[in-house]
Amino acid sequence: MIIRPKQETKNNTTFKIYQHCMMSDNAPHTIVDEQFVKKSFSKSKAWFVQYTTEFDVPQPTTWWYCIKDEKYDISTFKAKARYEVNKGRKNFSVSIISPLEYKNEIFDIDIKKFADYPESYRPILASTADEHIKKVVKDGDRWFGLFSKEDSSLVGYAIILEKEEFVNLSVVAIDPSTYKKNSSAGLVDGILCHYQDSDKAVYICDGARNVRHQTNYQDFLISTFEFRKAYCRIRLKYKWWAGIAIFLLRPFKKLLLKSDKSFFYNLGCILRLDEYARLSQK
């Protein structure tokens, strides 16, 4: 069953640090207590903290989460979207897998996937399948495999983080050579069908607006599967020295984002997020 999330505030937020940013590890609709955030941030090694002050506001803002909180029924889709999904169903099947049983296939898929990434944010993969799978497998994740109906080979996978209130599409990876057969639609369809029939009351989330990656994946989810943008207002708080650096670097955002050096590109992404946060409050 899929439900619409309702905004709520909690002061027992858990945090994670990614790219020097401290952010909530709770459900997107959870609004953290700002005093609790500031206290936690002061004790952390993060350069800045990001948190949501409002979730699913009626007017568009510069920040959002891409979610699906309506019943999944392709019979209500427009003809083009139904065609895309049915083509994916025709060519592929989806099932829950154990990643350790497909470590070589997963390694091969990731090599092909990341080969198309720009150097500015292309990750460095491990040298062997065994080393790679140790890095990507985490306790509690659920893996969905995408299999070709032509030869039963694994051509894609998704890593799903399941919480009590929501399901997060953490990672989606597909062999690019299968795109023309609508492999992306086939994988998402299989995942949505699984959770639509689940007895859990959840909504599906693809995460927040993308800051680092140049991708139209959320547009694909919205146009094909009727995901939507849940607009939010976010704030950023900096360590004093980081705040000064951000202020001085703001005029160079576009230049930094053009760099093929990961360090400078990442700085540009922080400045991009800084701009989104400031504009989201207007």
Side-chain angles (χ1 to χ4, degrees):
M1 180 171 90
I2 296 178
I3 62 169
R4 176 157 294 182
K6 295 180 180 180
Q7 180 173 306
E8 60 179 332
T9 302
K10 290 185 178 180
N11 61 4
N12 60 340
T13 305
T14 57
F15 295 97
K16 61 183 178 182
I17 296 180
Y18 176 72
Q19 295 292 329
H20 306 291
C21 175
M22 189 180 92
M23 59 186 72
S24 169
D25 204 24
N26 290 47
H29 65 277
T30 301
I31 309 302
V32 299
D33 180 271
E34 291 197 57
Q35 294 303 316
F36 180 77
V37 171
K38 292 175 182 178
K39 183 178 179 180
S40 301
F41 177 51
S42 66
K43 298 177 181 178
S44 78
K45 294 182 179 180
W47 296 358
F48 60 104
V49 60
Q50 167 193 326
Y51 58 95
T52 304
T53 55
E54 294 179 59
F55 177 81
D56 206 8
V57 296
Q59 66 272 30
T61 69
T62 52
W63 193 251
W64 61 75
Y65 284 90
C66 183
I67 69 172
K68 182 162 183 66
D69 55 355
E70 298 287 354
K71 181 179 179 180
Y72 180 52
D73 181 4
I74 71 167
S75 67
T76 64
F77 287 7
K78 294 180 180 179
K80 184 177 185 299
R82 289 199 307 272
Y83 170 79
E84 298 291 334
V85 174
N86 284 324
K87 185 177 179 180
R89 288 179 175 179
K90 177 182 177 182
N91 291 313
F92 303 96
S93 63
V94 177
S95 61
I96 295 174
I97 64 170
S98 169
L100 297 180
E101 295 180 8
Y102 295 94
K103 61 183 179 181
N104 292 320
E105 293 88 340
I106 290 169
F107 187 44
D108 184 58
I109 289 168
D110 283 352
I111 289 174
K112 294 176 180 177
K113 170 188 174 181
F114 292 126
D116 292 335
Y117 274 43
E119 288 187 18
S120 54
Y121 58 87
R122 184 187 303 161
I124 299 175
L125 299 182
S127 57
T128 67
D130 287 329
E131 293 175 358
H132 180 65
I133 207 68
K134 288 179 182 178
K135 291 183 177 180
V136 298
V137 172
K138 298 179 181 178
D139 292 339
D141 286 346
R142 185 181 292 271
W143 287 63
F144 286 80
L146 179 72
F147 295 89
S148 168
K149 288 187 176 180
E150 183 177 358
D151 58 11
S152 299
S153 61
L154 183 76
V155 296
Y157 68 88
I159 305 176
I160 307 298
L161 175 62
E162 292 184 345
K163 297 282 189 176
E164 181 180 351
E165 306 135 311
F166 80 112
V167 171
N168 191 58
L169 300 179
S170 180
V171 175
V172 174
I174 298 173
D175 183 340
S177 67
T178 66
Y179 287 161
K180 291 184 179 180
K181 294 183 178 181
N182 288 33
S183 51
S184 294
L187 181 55
V188 176
D189 171 67
I191 294 170
L192 291 179
C193 285
H194 173 85
Y195 287 105
Q196 179 63 53
D197 295 335
S198 171
D199 58 358
K200 291 182 63 177
V202 298
Y203 66 95
I204 316 296
C205 179
D206 183 59
R209 180 176 186 175
N210 208 298
V211 176
R212 294 188 72 236
H213 298 168
Q214 302 165 18
T215 175
N216 61 355
Y217 190 70
Q218 290 188 349
D219 293 332
F220 159 72
L221 292 176
I222 292 168
S223 63
T224 304
F225 291 98
E226 298 184 344
F227 277 65
R228 69 181 181 91
K229 294 176 181 178
Y231 292 104
C232 309
R233 303 192 191 282
I234 64 165
R235 291 188 182 276
L236 299 183
K237 299 292 183 183
Y238 302 97
K239 295 290 174 63
W240 68 268
W241 56 268
I244 294 173
I246 290 297
F247 179 79
L248 294 175
L249 288 171
R250 281 173 182 165
F252 305 100
K253 173 175 68 71
K254 291 183 179 179
L255 181 64
L256 290 168
L257 287 171
K258 292 179 180 179
S259 175
D260 58 0
K261 303 298 182 183
S262 60
F263 176 77
F264 295 113
Y265 180 77
N266 287 337
L267 281 179
C269 290
I270 295 174
L271 293 169
R272 177 187 279 163
L273 181 62
D274 171 76
E275 182 178 38
Y276 290 160
R278 286 184 287 114
L279 292 176
S280 79
Q281 299 297 321
K282 293 184 178 181

